[in-house]
Amino acid sequence: MIRENQVPMREQDPGSRIRNFAEVPLGYDEEEAREEAARCLKCKRKPCAAGCPVEVDIPTFIKQVENGEFRAAAATIKRTNSLPAVCGRVCPQETQCQGVCTLGKKFEPSAIGRLERFVADWERQHGAELAQPAAPSGRRVAVIGSGPAGLTCAGDLRLMGHEVTMFESLHEPGGVLMYGIPEFRLPKDVVNFEVEGIRSLGVNIETNVVVGKTVTVEGLFAEGYEAVFAGTGAGLPRFLGIPGETLIGVYSANEFLTRVNLMRAWEFPAWDTPVRMGRRVAVVGGGNVAMDAARTALRLGAESVMVLYRRTETEMPARAEEIHHAGEEGVEMNFLVNPVEFYGEDGDLTAMECLRMELGPPDDSGRRRPVPIEGSEFVLEVDTCIVSVGNQPHPLVPRTTPGLEVSRWGTVQADESGATTRRGVFAGGDIVTGAATVISAMGAGKQAAAAIDRYLVSNR
Amino acid sequence: MHPIVAKQQLGPEMDQYEVEAPRVAQAANPGQFVVVRLHDRGERIPLTLADWDASRGTITLVVQAVGKTTWEMHDRLSVGDGLRDVVGPLGEPSEIVPEGTAVCVAGGVGIAPVYPIARALKEAGAKVVGIAGARSSDLLFWLDRLRDVCDELVVTTDDGSTGRKGLVTEPLAEILAARRVAHVWAVGPAVMMKFCAKAAGNAGVPITVSLNPIMIDGTGMCGACRVEVDDKVRFACVDGPEFPGDKVNWDLLIARLTAYQEQERCAVDKYRRMVEEATR
């Protein structure tokens, strides 16, 4: 008799968790994990593995968990996924592996993400076994950016025996995993552990190097690197472009989250970087970053936090789990609302004027286009607004690398293997696709590592 | 870690540091800046480059103690210590206009970043007139260095303790009225740059200023450094830090500089109490 529903994962209750930055879901213990693993049908078709951008052998690792072979399960996952503790937490499993799970046709799908997280955490607590890189190839590769794409690409290239240096513009490696995703969703200890895993393979990490400023891609070739991978992400915040956006109290989500996550402003003044948090907060946008910003604002002591989204809940790009968590914590969702102007006094934000919207015919994204309702203006009193309407590709590497072509959206043009229009330069992740997911960036980093390996062999 | 290889006190609360940062020294140009962090819990602060030496692999910074981080540098860092992080060179280099007469106005600690600009102008063939001002003589420094790269140098102090008594804008207005000036550069406190921009604007002479808004990453990622230039929002870190002074919305810049005043005061007070307790 199969259990119809997933084994629930314990969580911090909403009332207490909005007063701390500790992780919200608490993970499975061994018994819970084995019970959940036993639900898997071990079907022959394995749609889950095909639904995974890095093709983790999901049925095998689940079988190993069921048998209590946790270390073997970790090895199975790590054969194709170098960041399991991250993926188990932030992957949108519901649209990938779990979305196509055979069990899910009748009951709740196998809780693959929770099991992956369990295995990765178990290994972290019990000591990880290090993979052994292949014999040194004598070839040098530079990886630009240490986010999900760069970490994956660097790790894979190192395992193939190449000498790899990963360049990071900030003072800590991890990219968006460090500055973007909050502690309560992805603890920084977890990220650091994964980064240290990559470092212990023998990958050199140079922080504080802004490629395009400190050194150019051409300069890296001159230093003796034979191939370059650019995984520089989509780090440039979009603003609304409406009057009053330079008032104090209006943040980009990037600024707000960087202050809190990377600079640990929630521990000011023990840590040096402050963050100004008001009482009434509006977050503009409907993605995961908007949910992160809203939930962070609550934890910093905001009295009320509302999300303003110009479409409806159905069109929200955020994961259902994030929307659910935000709602539980008291974030108020306002749909079909679009800001048109910020108002202030003495340079500080005091209010914002918004319009009510309705859904018209579908736009390019296939979602119904929000259309303003005439005469529906209304004013919201807010002292803080966090603008979370997406990020653009970082222009620095393309702008300073001759021969590297970009699209009209500023994304680097690369084929499926990651090869760009500039010989020896490969790219992957958000810099190629525009803002997307951690796992798709990892998939691209993986493809590019294989392509770089082939390039180095053919280019001997 | 970036070791400090030399430290020299230039004024009561002002120091010059020579810091190892080979990659920055290799790539540096006038007008660019670095972002610095002292230790694991430190904040990131932008500092404009005062000089660099690619062969020694070092950069020179001049820092006045005003906030918690800069006080900490003044009190606690000496030769042999290091800065945890130095990243750069950031921002766009100065656009050096080689022809005619250039006037370079420097206020207070702004003397340091003006020096490499004046030097580049001189090397490019411009006639360089320098104006260096401060509240009083003990806050002036590097006048000999400036004299080396300027054809003329006017020195002012608010209290008249050195040079001419008054503000830098007075000799600037006189020079603009009396001579044909191709370009003005001004680096210093926002209010000083604002009035220099006014003077240059009145004379119809282009002016370049170096803006110093609050920044975090310094690479275009956060947008904290939003400024308005020619009615458009720009990021000082990647679009600047230099902009045409007559087009800058100065009131906005000055207002945004106060965004964290309260927290900055709190951090400095806490730091002072800690220092006092430690020395008691």
Side-chain angles (χ1 to χ4, degrees), chain A residues 98-148:
Chain A
Q98 293 178 193
V100 292
C101 171
T102 309
L103 181 60
K105 286 184 182 149
K106 220 168 153 197
F107 305 132
E108 281 189 355
S110 203
I112 300 165
R114 293 176 182 176
L115 289 171
E116 182 181 34
R117 174 193 155 134
F118 163 78
V119 170
D121 288 354
W122 187 93
E123 198 196 28
R124 194 168 71 254
Q125 281 144 21
H126 291 79
E129 238 162 72
L130 272 186
Q132 211 46 50
S137 68
R139 319 297 291 272
R140 295 174 70 203
V141 184
V143 171
I144 311 171
S146 65

Side-chain angles (χ1 to χ4, degrees), chain A residues 268-448:
Chain A
F268 176 83
W271 288 59
D272 287 347
T273 305
V275 62
R276 245 177 83 137
M277 192 68 255
R279 292 184 304 113
R280 288 177 56 80
V281 181
V283 177
V284 181
N288 287 324
V289 177
M291 298 304 112
D292 286 346
R295 298 172 68 195
T296 300
L298 276 180
R299 283 161 174 76
L300 291 170
E303 279 168 24
S304 74
V305 179
M306 57 186 138
V307 165
L308 308 179
Y309 182 50
R310 61 195 182 126
R311 306 181 203 242
T312 71
E313 184 160 7
T314 325
E315 289 82 22
M316 273 176 98
R319 293 181 64 195
E321 182 185 327
E322 305 310 327
I323 300 169
H324 168 74
H325 275 149
E328 268 187 345
E329 291 170 7
V331 173
E332 182 194 317
M333 303 285 171
N334 289 279
F335 299 110
L336 295 166
V337 172
N338 205 27
V340 289
E341 183 163 359
F342 293 106
Y343 298 114
E345 275 172 36
D346 304 327
D348 288 326
L349 176 69
T350 54
M352 57 200 286
E353 185 175 313
C354 302
L355 275 176
R356 298 220 180 268
M357 312 293 275
E358 59 190 352
L359 290 182
D363 62 12
D364 297 347
S365 73
R367 297 176 298 177
R368 292 178 64 191
R369 182 195 301 275
V371 191
I373 300 173
E374 221 173 295
S376 66
E377 291 86 353
F378 65 102
V379 172
L380 287 172
E381 277 181 31
V382 293
D383 49 25
T384 306
C385 180
I386 303 161
V387 178
S388 176
V389 293
N391 288 304
Q392 290 164 304
H394 209 294
L396 209 44
V397 167
R399 207 183 275 164
T400 55
T401 309
L404 192 63
E405 277 172 34
V406 294
S407 73
R408 66 190 170 97
W409 301 279
T411 51
V412 170
Q413 303 213 348
D415 66 17
E416 269 180 25
S417 76
T420 68
T421 52
R422 166 77 167 83
R423 200 178 138 77
V425 179
F426 297 76
D430 286 2
I431 187 70
V432 170
T433 57
T437 59
V438 167
I439 188 73
S440 68
M442 290 176 56
K446 201 163 195 58
Q447 297 290 337

